[in-house]
Amino acid sequence: MTRFSLSRARSQARLFMVGLLAVWACTDTAPPSAPLMTQPASAARNGARPTGGGGPTVKSTAPDSGTVDSTLSVHVFGSGFDVGSRAQWALKGVPSSKVVTNSTQFVSSTELVANISIAPDATLASYDVMVTTSSGKGGIGTELFVITAKTTALPTLGGTATANAINDGGTIAGASTDAAGSLSAVKWTMQNGSWTVTPLPGGLSGNALGINASGDIVGTNNTALPHRGVRWPASSGSAVVVSCASDVGSDVAQAINSGGTIVGYRQEASGTLQTPVGWLPGQCRQDLAALAVIS
């Protein structure tokens, strides 16, 4: 009895499978297929994107930035690296000729060390890092490395310094203290490939705050109260106080345009109120609200 029931159950199972296949064949719905292989979400984000099946992933770099006109070693982290893997820098997926990979050292399947040289005229931007294995498989980490401008320390008069403005000709205006702590308005110019600092004429204790295309510099004279806005013409060797004797309170000249118009602010004797002001060429200080046109 038991054998008869088991045999009949198996027959019914076979009939059921045949019927099920027949139903699938007569409908538009196909039987379930094998699951699709998808890339992990982390691999689809910046820094982990293989460019082909089974290729390496590039996740991060250390350091993650460098300056133009420099050579440095960069650790590249990811997975799937092998002996012979090569690292390359790119902009929007296009290899850059301004970042040259001198060598790529294999450390492990998750780390490479690339020695790179960045050209002086390399574009300031976020760069992709591409890795190609010895078998030709590639991976790319997008915008993992930032190239920035090179910072240059300006010379001082012996103490500290502040650079406040620069014109298109490359002249910089600012202030510097000497070894004794005395403050002077200064300018920096490039001479024979190096920066030179020069105190502005007049021997004033002050600060240079603005410069125009012609090289005229404006700022403030802090020698005595009230403090006065000052202009250092590029064509003259002396400082010119821009305020008139009748102007009340201290003032500061902050910027000058190519037409010689100066803007800044004045401060009441109490020191609690600052009002925007302007100086038209050859005229006394005026509140900006009272000027119809600043040219």
Side-chain angles (χ1 to χ4, degrees), residues 173-279:
S176 176
T177 60
D178 59 19
S182 297
L183 181 70
S184 297
V186 300
K187 68 178 180 179
W188 289 270
T189 54
M190 180 67 74
Q191 298 181 11
N192 299 321
S194 60
W195 287 102
T196 298
V197 59
T198 305
L200 293 176
L204 303 177
S205 173
N207 194 355
L209 300 172
I211 183 171
N212 65 11
S214 300
D216 300 321
I217 297 173
V218 294
T220 181
N221 171 19
N222 298 337
T223 303
L225 291 174
H227 296 167
R228 287 303 192 194
V230 178
R231 178 184 181 213
W232 290 271
S235 59
S236 173
S238 60
V240 178
V241 175
V242 296
S243 298
C244 296
S246 58
D247 292 335
V248 178
S250 296
D251 48 51
V252 175
Q254 294 180 299
I256 182 172
N257 68 8
S258 57
T261 297
I262 300 170
V263 294
Y265 66 88
R266 65 177 174 85
Q267 191 162 7
E268 303 296 339
S270 63
T272 59
L273 179 64
Q274 293 181 351
T275 302
V277 298
W279 292 265

Side-chain angles (χ1 to χ4, degrees), residues 114-197:
N115 182 267
I116 63 172
S117 292
I118 305 173
D121 58 345
T123 300
L124 305 183
S126 295
Y127 283 68
D128 309 329
V129 179
M130 307 169 66
V131 171
T132 304
T133 64
S134 61
S135 62
K137 295 181 178 179
I140 182 169
T142 57
E143 299 185 352
L144 293 183
F145 191 89
V146 180
I147 292 181
T148 61
K150 194 169 187 176
T151 302
T152 300
L154 295 172
T156 73
L157 297 179
T160 60
T162 301
N164 296 317
I166 184 171
N167 66 6
D168 291 340
T171 299
I172 300 172
S176 176
T177 60
D178 59 19
S182 297
L183 181 70
S184 297
V186 300
K187 68 178 180 179
W188 289 270
T189 54
M190 180 67 74
Q191 298 181 11
N192 299 321
S194 60
W195 287 102
T196 298
V197 59

Side-chain angles (χ1 to χ4, degrees), residues 5 19 71 105 173 175 230:
S5 299
T71 296
Q105 176 188 352
V230 178

Side-chain angles (χ1 to χ4, degrees), residues 39 43 47-51 54-60 76-81 109-110 129 131 138-141:
Q39 191 179 97
R49 181 158 58 91
T51 57
T57 61
V58 186
K59 298 180 179 179
S60 62
V76 180
F77 300 101
S79 62
F81 306 152
S109 63
T110 60
V129 179
V131 171
I140 182 169

